[in-house]
Amino acid sequence: MAYTRSAIVTGGTANLGYFAALEVARQHSDWLVVVCSRSDREHAADMINGVLKQSNTIFMPLDLSDSKSVRSFAKDWSNRNYPPIQALFLNAALQFPGKASYTPEGVESTFAISHVGHSLFFHLLCPNLAPKARIVLTSSGTHDPAMKSGLPDAIYTTAEELAHPPPAIANGPGRRHYANSKLANIMWAYALHKRLNQKVPDRGITVNAFDPGLMPGTGLARESNALGRCVWEKVLPKVTPVLKVLYTDNIHKPEESAASLVRLACSDETAGISGKYFEGRKEIPSSKDSYDEKKIDDLWQWTVKYCAQDEAEAARFENFA
């Protein structure tokens, strides 16, 4: 079958990403739907095809913590001449609750996966985006201290300190790195929206950030200790009704949040909306820090400089070529 468009979902083999890919494939049998992760041990792509009795979902390996893997994916994508990318779900994330963890390239792991890898992924795939393509970054309400999420407050100093934290940050609460990375997701979405409008408004590309809410039972806590995993995977899903009353009503099953995510990325209702932050289906303000233009510019400039191999590539990234 000749597919008309493509959709890519990072972290698409499980949980929110899996259900988002399933829903996109269900709605658009004429699209090629690509689920990406380091591995597909559960055969997610085959499962989606089996459920829908279709064959439009495939798996492609991607390790966002490794720039070589990201570059290999982008090269492979171009070589295969797949259809233009209509929806790009920058969804993958991990939490490392203990002391700071680092990638082989020396970047704090949470920031590397949630922000750096996704940014490089976008820039390398940008030439393959369809007109009016939509990019959605999965962020989190944990980025906003005012939300009182229970995680340590996000603190943005500089992008360099998020990537290579000094001892005061590296030795602090591990989950602060997660909150910081989710703040970076939103700030980068705002930076990208602004620059797309300035440099290539005719392409009509939109970008938004999305909070899926708390989703107990998902694989987000897989780097936690045994007790932490047990509470997250076994206990909290059973007391969700109580949590909704005592804690927040922004608690959902992954398939519920996935439906809201796909609406933002694919629905006619949300066409043309860009530079916004959504909690489920509601557009809401993000944190005070997320609108700080100096911090947004710092993040953008650091990211392009770090991700680009040379000045020529940096220029292409800045101009979305």
Side-chain angles (χ1 to χ4, degrees):
M1 178 178 179
Y3 297 113
T4 60
R5 288 288 188 270
S6 299
I8 300 177
V9 186
T10 69
T13 59
N15 306 310
L16 177 66
Y18 170 84
F19 287 107
L22 174 67
E23 187 59 27
V24 175
R26 187 197 312 276
Q27 293 182 15
H28 298 281
S29 59
D30 59 328
W31 288 13
L32 177 70
V33 179
V34 183
V35 293
C36 309
S37 189
R38 285 178 293 182
S39 64
D40 188 17
R41 291 188 295 269
E42 302 299 324
H43 306 288
D46 292 340
M47 288 173 60
I48 290 172
N49 288 330
V51 168
L52 300 178
K53 295 180 172 54
Q54 297 173 182
S55 58
N56 61 320
T57 302
I58 65 171
F59 167 75
M60 290 180 66
L62 174 68
D63 183 351
L64 288 163
S65 70
D66 180 356
S67 63
K68 294 183 181 66
S69 173
V70 178
R71 289 183 179 278
S72 177
F73 183 105
K75 183 177 181 180
D76 191 26
W77 184 272
S78 296
N79 288 341
R80 294 192 189 195
N81 198 31
Y82 284 140
I85 301 164
Q86 183 61 48
L88 184 58
F89 296 81
L90 303 181
N91 168 72
L94 274 180
Q95 277 188 21
F96 297 87
K99 64 181 182 180
S101 171
Y102 297 89
T103 70
E105 295 173 7
V107 178
E108 191 281 313
S109 296
T110 319
F111 187 68
I113 294 166
S114 291
H115 172 66
V116 180
H118 276 142
S119 300
L120 178 61
F121 193 60
F122 164 80
H123 282 296
L124 294 175
L125 291 177
C126 190
N128 304 108
L129 294 177
K132 299 184 179 179
R134 300 197 209 176
I135 300 98
V136 181
L137 292 96
T138 300
S139 184
S140 169
T142 60
H143 86 279
D144 188 353
M147 298 295 286
K148 307 296 182 185
S149 68
L151 263 65
D153 290 349
I155 300 174
Y156 189 99
T157 50
T158 66
E160 172 60 24
E161 289 198 348
L162 295 189
H164 306 107
I169 298 176
N171 298 329
R175 286 189 172 89
R176 174 165 284 144
H177 301 301
Y178 180 79
N180 285 343
S181 74
K182 292 304 172 182
L183 173 58
N185 286 155
I186 296 172
M187 293 168 63
W188 190 77
Y190 293 161
L192 181 57
H193 161 74
K194 176 181 176 180
R195 287 158 177 80
L196 285 168
N197 276 347
Q198 290 173 340
K199 300 290 182 66
V200 288
D202 55 309
R203 293 186 68 181
I205 300 170
T206 63
V207 55
N208 293 290
F210 172 78
D211 170 24
L214 190 67
M215 296 180 293
T218 62
L220 185 62
R222 60 184 176 270
E223 299 295 332
S224 298
N225 60 27
L227 177 60
R229 291 196 304 274
C230 179
V231 170
W232 179 255
E233 296 170 2
K234 305 295 185 183
V235 178
L236 293 183
K238 294 179 180 178
V239 297
T240 294
V242 177
L243 290 174
K244 282 194 169 190
V245 174
L246 299 180
Y247 179 54
T248 176
D249 62 358
N250 190 25
I251 303 177
H252 308 283
K253 295 179 179 178
E255 50 266 50
E256 294 170 344
S257 292
S260 297
L261 176 56
V262 172
R263 172 183 175 272
L264 186 55
C266 301
S267 171
D268 290 343
E269 293 177 58
T270 54
I273 297 173
S274 187
K276 306 298 182 182
Y277 174 58
F278 283 78
E279 180 186 271
R281 300 193 172 212
K282 300 180 296 182
E283 180 190 329
I284 66 169
S286 51
S287 71
K288 180 181 177 181
D289 260 9
S290 69
Y291 295 106
D292 187 318
E293 288 292 343
K294 288 184 179 179
K295 293 178 179 179
I296 290 172
D297 288 345
D298 170 79
L299 179 67
W300 179 265
Q301 291 164 11
W302 181 92
T303 303
V304 170
K305 183 178 180 180
Y306 179 83
C307 289
Q309 289 182 320
D310 51 39
E311 290 185 5
E313 188 170 74
R316 290 199 298 274
F317 287 179
E318 286 283 5
N319 293 293
F320 308 106

